[in-house]
Amino acid sequence: MTGETDLVVVGAGIAGLVVALEAATAGARVTVLESDDRVGGMLRRGRIAGVDVDLGAESFAKRTDAVPRLIADFALPLEVVVPNSGPAHLVSQPGVGRWSRLPLPRRTVIGIPADPLAADVVAIIGERAARRAAVEVLDAPVDPTASLADVVEERLGAGLVRDLVDPLCRSIYSQPAAAVPLPRLHPKMWAAFERTGSLLAAAGEVAPHAAGGTAVGGIMGGMWRLADAVASLAQERGAVIRTGVVAEALSSDAAGVSVVLADGESIRAARAVVATGPRGAAALLGAPASEIDEAATAPIQPAVRLLTAAVTAPDLAADPVGSGVIVAPGAHTAAKALTHIDAKWAWARAALPEGTHLVRLSARVDDSAGLDSATAVAREIAHLTGGRVDRDDIGEIVTTRWRDAVVPAESEAWTETVADAAARGIHVVGAVAAGTGLASVIPHARALAHELLAPTSVRKESR
Ligand SMILES: Cc1cc2nc3c(=O)[nH]c(=O)nc-3n(C[C@H](O)[C@H](O)[C@H](O)COP(=O)(O)OP(=O)(O)OC[C@H]3O[C@@H](n4cnc5c(N)ncnc54)[C@H](O)[C@@H]3O)c2cc1C
C-alpha cells in the first residue's frame, strides 16, 4: 500500500466511526477526518437541567440487531435498554380548537397494520377505512420503485395512508409517504411483502408483538454514548481521529486516493470512505447537489429543527401521552412531534430533579414561528399533551438544527456516481448509502469495512 495511511475516512458520524473501528481492529492504518469539533455526527450529547441527553438520534429501530450486535462484538461498555411501554400518541385536530390524542396502534409497521380491524387502528382511521384496509387488493402489482403511499393506497386504501401511514412516515423518516419507496425505508418489511404478496401478512410478521414502543431500543444514558465508545475503542486500536478538519476535495490515481483539507494539507491513502451525509458526499464525489436531490420533493432538503426543554408542569408527571406524540399533517401545530424524554427513558427520569421533565419538540418546518419563545413552547406542549403548561413552567431550552438529516430518494445518476467512485477506491457509507437510521447505517458500514479489508481487497504493507 502506498500513501500515508491505508484508509482515510471522511466524517466521524457513527458510519465513519464504525468503519474506522473495524479497520483499526483488522490492523489497518486509518485516519478519520471530522469537520466538527467533536465526533458522533447525529449522535450528539447535550446537557439540560444537569442531565446529559441526546440532541440527535435517541433510539435505534430493532428491525435489525445492528446496535446490540456492535456492542457485543466489540464488548463496548454500554447497556441496551428498552423504553417504557406506554404507547406514543397520534395528535390530530378534527375541528377548530378540538384536539384528538389517541394511542398509536400497537402492531403496525410504518402505519401498515397487522390487523386493520384492531380497536386501536379503527380508533384512528375510522371503521370505513379499516374495513377497506381489511380487504387487501392482492393482485395489485409489486413495484419496488412505487412510493410507500401509492403501494399502500392501491392495496389497502387512501384513508389508511392519510391517517396513519403518512403521519408515521413523516415522523420517523422526515419524508412524506408519497416521496419514498418502501424497500428503501424498511427492507425487512419489503422482503416479507415480496415473499407473502400481502402487506397485511408482511406487517403481521414484522410488527413487534409486544406493547407499543418496543420496536425501538436505547442505550442507558443516551445514544451519543455509542459514538463515544466506538471512537474511543477505534483510537485505542490505533485509529487517528482528527476533529475540526474539513475535507474539501477527493481525487484518485493509480496509486491511491488524495484528500485535500480546507487548509491545503493533503493526505494520501490507498482508499477513502466518505461518511459525511448527503451534501458532503455529493460535493466530494463531484456530483452536483441536484443530482441526489433531483428525485426528492424539494430542491433543497429541509433542515430538521429540534427544541429540547426542561419543563416543571405538574401535569406531565402522569405521562399524559406516554413516550410522546406524533402530529397528523393537517393539525395546526408548530411541532410535528413531541418526545416526553423522561417518560420514555427510565434513566432520564432517575437523573432529573424531582418534578422536572424533559420534552423534545420537532419543528414542523425549520423556521416555523410558534416555537420561538418560552410562551410558545409552553402553548405547544399544552396542545400536544393536553396538560396545563405555563410559560413559568419552561426552564432551559436548547435548539438544535440538523441541516443534512434528510436523505433524498435514490436517483439513477447518484447510484452511478457512487459506483464510479467505488471503482476508483472511494466508497460511500452512512445514511446516504444505507438509508436513514442506525439499524441500516451500522450493518452497511460494517459490511463495507469487511469487504475493503478482505485479504483479496487489501494488500497490507509490511510495517
Ligand atoms: C434529530 C434526529 C433524530 C434521529 N433519531 C433517530 C433515531 O431515533 N433512531 C435512528 O436509528 N436514527 C435516528 N436518526 C438518524 C440517524 O441519526 C442517522 O441516520 C445516522 O446517525 C447517520 O449517521 P452518519 O454517520 O451517516 O451521518 P452523520 O451522523 O451525519 O455524520 C456525518 C459526519 O460527517 C461530518 N462531515 C460532513 N462533511 C464533512 C467534510 N467535508 N469533512 C469532514 N467531515 C465532514 C459531519 O460533521 C458529521 O459528523 C435521527 C437523526 C436526527 C437528525
Side-chain angles (χ1 to χ4, degrees), residues 107-114 165 168 182 186 189 202-204 206-208:
R107 300 205 60 230
T108 71
V109 179
I110 329 176
I112 302 167
V165 171
L168 276 163
L182 178 56
H186 206 309
M189 176 70 184
V206 175

Side-chain angles (χ1 to χ4, degrees), residues 94-122:
V96 180
R98 285 174 51 220
W99 297 91
S100 143
R101 299 175 195 88
L102 292 166
L104 279 168
R106 287 171 187 271
R107 300 205 60 230
T108 71
V109 179
I110 329 176
I112 302 167
D115 174 10
L117 298 173
D120 52 7
V121 177
V122 177

Side-chain angles (χ1 to χ4, degrees), residues 83-288:
N84 290 330
S85 59
H89 285 53
L90 179 67
V91 168
S92 59
Q93 219 178 356
V96 180
R98 285 174 51 220
W99 297 91
S100 143
R101 299 175 195 88
L102 292 166
L104 279 168
R106 287 171 187 271
R107 300 205 60 230
T108 71
V109 179
I110 329 176
I112 302 167
D115 174 10
L117 298 173
D120 52 7
V121 177
V122 177
I124 288 179
I125 67 172
E127 256 194 70
R128 203 163 151 216
R131 278 203 305 272
R132 161 67 188 89
V135 268
E136 180 171 357
V137 177
L138 291 167
D139 56 0
V142 176
D143 175 3
T145 64
S147 75
L148 171 65
D150 284 347
V151 170
V152 178
E153 181 172 339
E154 197 166 19
R155 293 183 159 251
L156 306 176
L160 177 69
V161 174
R162 188 191 56 235
D163 292 339
L164 205 49
V165 171
D166 189 47
L168 276 163
C169 186
R170 287 171 190 265
S171 156
I172 304 167
Y173 299 101
S174 298
Q175 296 183 87
V180 57
L182 178 56
R184 182 145 175 92
L185 294 176
H186 206 309
K188 192 169 166 185
M189 176 70 184
W190 180 258
F193 172 46
E194 274 195 315
R195 186 164 38 72
T196 59
S198 156
L199 283 175
L200 296 179
E205 275 185 22
V206 175
H209 282 272
T214 51
V216 299
I219 285 177
M220 173 82 82
M223 288 304 302
W224 60 270
R225 290 176 192 270
L226 181 66
D228 272 24
V230 172
S232 297
L233 188 58
Q235 283 173 306
E236 233 173 72
R237 295 187 175 177
V240 175
I241 300 179
R242 293 174 60 184
T243 53
V245 286
V246 180
E248 275 204 341
L250 260 177
S251 58
S252 60
D253 54 34
V257 297
S258 292
V259 184
V260 179
L261 307 185
D263 66 2
E265 183 188 341
S266 168
I267 297 174
R268 297 276 307 161
R271 290 172 193 267
V273 170
V274 175
T276 55
R279 283 174 205 275
L284 288 169
L285 266 56

Side-chain angles (χ1 to χ4, degrees), residues 10-15 33-36 40-42 56-60 245-247 275-276 306 360 402 405 430-431 436-438 441:
V10 184
I14 193 64
L33 307 170
E34 168 56 50
S35 54
D36 208 342
M42 293 182 214
E58 49 100 48
S59 64
F60 59 86
V245 286
V246 180
T276 55
L306 301 177
R360 163 151 126 171
W402 296 104
T436 300
L438 305 170
V441 165

